[in-house]
């Protein structure tokens, strides 16, 4: 019983990871860059949604409407943020050695966190409104409507992204840019624009994930993006970085692994380790995957060309 | 070597000047900058020479500090002498470096960054939680009442009287740290100019080509990890003895990032750059701390928390340096050409 | 004349593509052996396998009768095989001299401890290494550029520096991947002389090149790869008139026209 309950919880969490992982994977697929600041875009999305929901409710709007408006605005802000990040910090370094954009990315991540700390303070902010909602019980397993909505909405977004990448002109341009930038340019693709759009789409998904995360845990904080980002990155690597299906699978899998791990770690270690070690799981998974299957579950085995 | 003599003389006089004209608290800040300098020199071996981006470097500082703390405090009732535990701490950190490095060797640069970051966090989480079922690290409270830095009956952490002049403890500490820093610099410099250093730089430039001239790339990368970690561990031990207290709070990701900043700001792979970078970034934030005062007098209240300001400054330093001057403030001519892309 | 290197039934595939299919070669000692074939024939892949950068799916190699380690480039280098790359891979931001010094890695022993304590042995070795390095720079005529960054050299000089770096390991077999690419005819002649000289010093040279005429005049033996298979090997003149070879090259020619 506990097992299935943990699986349900894990799937909910995992679908949030998957949305964030998609952002990492798309950027990596196209530019071979780990966008360290991606997790912090999630945080910005979450905190903006949190504050605006509160504000709209104070203006007398109902909770659902406030949430909807706030989320919409937060998505827009994050899209803009993603665009700016790429333009200012990554584009000038596109041909520089790897270390350079990586270091800028770390700097940006820190910058976003500290700016958020200035704006929102350092304490944990509660998410406004009553999120209890109804829940469904079945053989002792409880699923809240929030969990259900998170899961369904995530699947829907992933489906839409899949359609976008595989059945639109932009998607084709993205795929050919991922193959090879010079080649795509030869084929008449405006690769700069494609890269911008990739960041924008990734950031929009990040914002949605941020809203979900802040609702699920019902608190938000300027540091919340760090761990979430790291786990989502792990999910992307687990599935095979650069691979959309991989990110989705990796996210769900990591969520479940983590939930089960947190649930059972006490039993496994005879109480030596408690659930306070649960955040270590993601790291261990990451390290194990990188050692034993560095291309991830769905990644192909590419050998460096000499 | 000859050219650096005036610098060494200046470095020896500096604490007295600062002590007399500014005050004891600033000598303490100098002490800390020397510690940071040692850490930066260690990270420089890993990032600057071998080109491996390590984001969990502070973990080795932590290992060194906790080794010292556990071997000379009431925690286990052990009180071993300094000259025994410092090497032990450094060695432990070195071993950790090799252990953590080993599984990451096959990874490309960006993966390496994430994994080392993960390792750094794992170590911190363990430090926080290894208080049950057996109390090893004493959890978030940390370990206190650590023995001060001492050799025989001479305690660096206490002031002494020399020919009628009283020498404050922070100045003792300063000279101890200065000695450690000078030794580290000399060793780093020699490594840089040696067969080993050239092998690292070859790996940094082109790992494949390096392996084709017979460089055992894995071994040399591990060596860089291990040596960098050893240097981190050594400074960690000094840190623990200086503070007489350690807790997991001192070993966060932010510290790793800050040391990376120091290396990057001055110029990766180039010792003078690393020195300038770490001195700048350990002194400037202290000036910023005082900014609360003038913010109040200028703007009427404290608008920006100085602690935030400090980190924002670090963040901007990283981003702006990479965009405008990726070779650092005082670059080696080599790195300059490398990072200025066509 | 005995064989220094034997390649036995090597196969390698990349996904669906069969880059090498059951390739066997014998390289006689103290000779210059040419490897030719159309683009994508698998020449570089064969080099990569011999020098340990790729692991073959099947087959093995013998160096003077001993099994050559597979997939471990540094071990292969230690056994005495050095190489250059089709797309030059120098340590661009080290000086010309330092590039050679890195090439001397296997021929020196200084360890970390030796380095940090700057022992007499280390200093002695460092001096000897420098002298030796200048010997190799002189050998290819680059000693006047010793202190410049490798990246600043002209294309032809970079090729020669890469050869010097490989020679600095004092190999038994030197594998050159299209060393004459992008050179004019004067440079090609000089290069041929250099290769000849290297051979006379007792190094066996294995060289990939597209210019059939150049390679025929340089080599004692030529092997032709086509779609991952050896379609002809032996005396240059016989190979040149081999029907399969003519077809492979003409076939490619027609392809280009189409
Ligand atoms: N790492 C790799 N991954 C995938 N395919 C590869 C890889 N290396 C080589 N190939 C493929 O193997 C085939 C043989 O390539 P190879 O480079 O050996 O040819 P080559 O004979 O050296 O050609 P060229 O004359 O153009 O240098 C080519 O089709 C190439 O695309
Ligand atoms: Mg080739």
């Amino acid at each position: 019983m506990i097992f299935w309950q943990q699986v349900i919880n894990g799937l909910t969490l995992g679908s949030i990871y998957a949305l964030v992982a998609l952002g990492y994977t798309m950027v990596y697929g196209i530019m071979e860059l780990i966008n360290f600041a991606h997790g912090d875009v999630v945080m910005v999305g979450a905190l903006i949604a949190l504050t605006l929901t509160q504000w709209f409710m104070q203006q007398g709007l109902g909770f659902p409407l406030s949430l909807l408006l706030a989320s919409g605005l937060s998505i827009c802000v994050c899209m803009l943020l993603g665009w700016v990040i790429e333009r200012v910090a990554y584009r000038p370094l596109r041909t520089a050695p790897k270390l350079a954009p990586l270091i800028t990315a770390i700097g940006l991540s820190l910058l976003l966190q500290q700016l958020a700390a200035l704006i929102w303070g350092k304490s944990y902010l509660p998410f406004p409104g009553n999120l209890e909602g109804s829940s469904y019980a079945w053989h002792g397993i409880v699923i809240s409507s929030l969990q259900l909505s998170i899961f369904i909405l995530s699947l829907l977004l992933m489906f839409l992204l899949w359609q976008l990448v595989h059945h639109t002109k932009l998607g084709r341009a993205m795929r050919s840019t991922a193959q090879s930038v010079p080649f795509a340019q030869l084929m008449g693709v405006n690769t700069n624009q494609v890269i911008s759009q990739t960041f924008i789409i990734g950031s929009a998904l990040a914002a949605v994930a941020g809203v979900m995360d802040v609702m699920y845990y019902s608190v938000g904080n300027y540091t919340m993006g760090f761990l979430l980002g790291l786990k989502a990155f792990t999910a992307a690597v687990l599935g095979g970085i650069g691979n959309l299906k991989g990110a989705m699978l990796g996210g769900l899998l990591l969520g479940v692994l983590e939930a089960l791990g947190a649930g059972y770690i006490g039993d496994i270690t005879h109480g030596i380790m408690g659930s306070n070690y649960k955040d270590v799981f993601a790291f261990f998974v990451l390290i194990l995957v990188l050692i034993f299957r560095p291309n991830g579950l769905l990644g192909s085995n590419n050998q460096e060309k000499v | 070597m000859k050219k650096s003599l005036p610098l060494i003389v200046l470095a020896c006089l500096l604490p007295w000047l600062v002590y007399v004209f500014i005050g004891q608290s600033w000598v303490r800040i100098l002490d800390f900058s020397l510690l940071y300098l040692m850490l930066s020199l260690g990270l420089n071996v890993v990032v600057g020479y071998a080109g491996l981006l390590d984001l969990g470097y502070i973990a080795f500082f932590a290992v060194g500090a906790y080794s010292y703390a556990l071997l000379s405090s009431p925690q286990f009732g052990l009180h071993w002498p300094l000259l025994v535990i410092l090497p032990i701490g450094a060695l432990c950190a070195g071993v950790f470096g090799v252990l953590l490095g080993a599984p990451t060797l096959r990874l490309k640069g960006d993966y390496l960054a994430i994994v080392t970051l993960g390792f750094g966090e794992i170590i911190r989480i363990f430090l926080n939680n290894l208080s049950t079922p057996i109390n090893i690290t004493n959890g978030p409270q940390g370990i206190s009442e650590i023995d001060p830095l001492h050799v025989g009956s001479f305690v660096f952490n206490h002031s002494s009287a020399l020919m009628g002049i009283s020498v404050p403890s922070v100045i003792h500490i300063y000279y101890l740290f200065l000695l450690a820093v000078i030794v580290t610099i000399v060793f780093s410099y020699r490594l840089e100019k040696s067969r080993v250093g050239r092998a690292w730089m070859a790996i940094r430039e082109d790992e494949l080509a390096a392996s084709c001239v017979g460089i055992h790339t894995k071994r040399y990368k591990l060596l860089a990890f291990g040596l960098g970690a050893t240097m981190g561990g050594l400074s960690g031990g000094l840190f623990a003895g200086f503070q007489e207290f350690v807790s997991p709070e001192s070993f966060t990701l932010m510290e790793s990032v800050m040391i990376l900043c120091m290396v990057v700001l001055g110029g990766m792979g180039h010792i003078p750059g690393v020195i300038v970078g770490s001195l700048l970034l350990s002194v400037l934030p202290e000036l910023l701390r005082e900014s609360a005062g003038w913010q109040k007098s200028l703007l009427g209240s404290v608008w920006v928390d100085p602690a935030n300001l400090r980190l924002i400054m670090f963040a901007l330093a990283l981003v702006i340096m990479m965009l405008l001057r990726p070779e650092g403030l005082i670059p080696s001519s080599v790195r300059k050409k490398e990072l200025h892309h066509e | 004349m005995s064989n220094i290197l034997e390649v036995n039934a090597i196969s390698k595939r990349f996904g669906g593509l069969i880059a090498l299919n059951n390739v066997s070669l014998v390289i006689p000692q103290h000779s210059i052996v040419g490897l030719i074939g159309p683009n994508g024939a698998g020449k570089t892949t064969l080099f990569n396998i011999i020098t340990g950068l790729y692991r073959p799916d099947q087959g093995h190699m013998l160096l003077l009768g001993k099994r050559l380690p597979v997939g471990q480039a540094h071990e292969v280098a230690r056994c005495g095989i050095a190489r250059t790359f089709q797309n030059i891979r120098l340590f661009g931001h080290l000086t010309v001299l330092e590039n050679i010094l890195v090439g001397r890695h296997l021929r020196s022993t200084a360890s970390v401890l030796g380095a940090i304590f700057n022992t007499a042995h280390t200093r002695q070795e460092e001096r000897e290494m420098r002298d030796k390095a200048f010997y190799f720079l002189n050998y290819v005529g680059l000693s006047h550029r010793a202190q410049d960054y490798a990246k600043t050299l002209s294309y032809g000089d970079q090729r020669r520096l890469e050869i010097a770096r490989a020679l600095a390991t004092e190999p038994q077999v030197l594998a050159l991947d299209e060393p004459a690419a992008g050179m004019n005819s004067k440079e090609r002649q000089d290069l041929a002389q250099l290769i000849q000289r290297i051979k006379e010093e007792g190094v066996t040279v294995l060289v990939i090149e597209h210019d059939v005429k150049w390679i025929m005049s340089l080599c004692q033996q030529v092997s032709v790869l086509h779609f991952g298979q050896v379609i002809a090997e032996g005396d240059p003149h016989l190979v040149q008139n081999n029907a399969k070879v003519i077809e492979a090259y003409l076939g490619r020619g027609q392809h280009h026209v189409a």
Side-chain angles (χ1 to χ4, degrees), chain B:
Chain B
M1 272 291 94
K2 278 211 185 87
K3 269 187 286 176
S4 52
L5 199 65
L7 276 180
I8 293 178
V9 172
L10 178 70
C12 289
L13 291 179
L14 190 66
W16 288 104
L17 295 175
V18 170
Y19 176 57
V20 172
F21 292 108
I22 309 180
Q24 187 159 341
S25 64
W26 273 89
V27 183
R28 200 179 154 77
I29 290 169
L30 285 182
D31 294 349
F32 274 109
S33 3
L34 288 176
L35 267 183
Y36 277 123
L37 177 50
M38 273 179 79
L39 278 172
S40 315
L41 287 166
L43 185 62
N44 182 49
V45 170
V46 186
V47 182
Y49 296 159
L52 305 164
L53 186 53
D54 183 350
L55 286 183
Y57 186 66
I58 204 70
F60 307 123
F61 187 59
V63 170
Y66 269 87
S67 304
Y68 188 106
L70 293 178
L71 294 178
S72 68
S73 72
Q75 178 75 4
F76 291 150
L78 296 174
H79 297 279
W80 293 5
L82 181 78
L83 291 177
V84 175
I85 34 180
L86 273 188
I88 290 184
L91 200 72
C92 281
V95 169
F96 257 87
V98 172
L99 286 182
L100 301 195
T104 59
L105 284 183
R106 288 193 303 177
L107 307 181
K108 282 193 274 166
D110 25 19
Y111 282 104
L112 183 73
I114 294 261
V115 172
T116 48
L117 183 152
F119 272 137
E121 285 298 290
I122 288 179
I123 289 204
R124 200 174 55 85
I125 293 174
F126 273 94
L127 290 181
N128 258 320
N129 291 303
L130 278 182
S131 47
T132 51
I134 325 164
N135 186 357
I136 301 174
T137 62
N138 206 23
Q141 287 89 37
I143 298 172
S144 46
E145 292 177 58
I146 299 173
D147 297 347
L149 296 166
H150 62 100
V151 175
S153 61
F154 184 81
V155 181
F156 287 91
N157 299 34
H158 297 166
S159 53
S160 70
L162 187 75
M163 293 180 291
I165 312 166
S166 100
V167 183
S169 62
V170 282
I171 291 191
H172 294 150
I173 300 277
Y174 179 91
Y175 285 122
L176 179 69
F177 288 2
L178 184 65
L179 184 72
V181 161
I182 290 175
V183 171
T184 319
I185 289 177
V186 170
F187 284 2
S188 295
Y189 182 80
R190 285 179 176 170
L191 273 175
E192 184 182 325
K193 301 290 173 206
S194 74
R195 170 176 179 263
V196 178
R198 282 190 299 263
W200 283 333
M201 288 184 255
I203 292 172
R204 179 189 78 198
E205 294 283 314
D206 189 332
E207 191 172 337
L208 241 147
S211 70
C212 282
V213 292
I215 294 172
H216 195 318
T217 53
K218 276 190 189 164
R219 183 180 301 160
Y220 275 87
K221 286 199 222 167
L222 265 192
L223 191 62
F225 259 111
L227 270 182
T230 308
M231 290 156 90
L234 193 64
S235 24
L238 292 173
F239 171 76
F242 177 32
Q243 291 262 294
E244 301 176 36
F245 168 71
V246 291
S247 77
E249 227 172 274
S250 313
F251 310 109
T252 59
L253 174 68
M254 272 312 109
E255 300 292 318
S256 289
V257 172
M258 192 164 88
I259 293 156
L260 180 67
C261 278
M262 294 174 175
V263 176
V264 169
L265 182 72
M268 283 181 278
H270 187 51
I271 294 171
V274 174
I275 296 175
V276 170
S278 45
L279 292 188
L280 263 184
L281 282 188
S282 42
V283 170
L284 274 185
E286 296 304 325
L287 292 175
L288 285 180
R289 191 164 295 189
E290 312 208 328
S291 81
W294 54 255
Q295 276 188 42
K296 210 170 233 160
S297 57
L298 236 87
L299 308 167
S301 64
V302 181
W303 275 71
V304 180
D305 176 4
N308 277 10
L309 202 57
R310 193 178 82 125
L311 290 173
I312 289 176
M313 194 184 75
F314 282 144
L316 285 175
L318 281 181
V319 177
I320 293 172
M321 285 309 288
M322 276 301 122
L323 291 177
L324 301 182
R325 237 183 117 82
E327 70 277 11
L329 292 175
I330 320 242
S332 72
S333 37
V334 176
R335 209 56 179 175
K336 180 168 178 175
K337 291 190 183 162
E338 174 166 309
L339 286 167
H340 261 302
H341 39 100
E342 287 78 307

Side-chain angles (χ1 to χ4, degrees), chain C residues 44 86 177-178:
Chain C
T44 300
Q86 185 168 352
D177 195 345
E178 304 201 13

Side-chain angles (χ1 to χ4, degrees), chain C residues 175-222:
Chain C
L176 304 172
D177 195 345
E178 304 201 13
M183 288 186 169
N184 60 33
S185 62
K186 165 83 176 70
E187 287 172 319
R188 273 162 194 263
Q189 259 173 26
D190 292 348
L191 179 68
Q193 272 173 16
L194 179 66
I195 294 175
Q196 201 70 44
R197 203 146 44 100
I198 292 170
K199 177 212 148 190
E200 271 149 31
E201 304 218 343
V203 178
T204 305
V205 183
L206 186 57
V207 51
I208 296 179
E209 179 49 51
H210 280 294
D211 183 342
V212 178
K213 233 164 134 189
W214 186 82
I215 209 133
M216 293 301 171
S217 64
L218 181 67
C219 301
Q220 282 84 57
Q221 179 191 319
V222 172

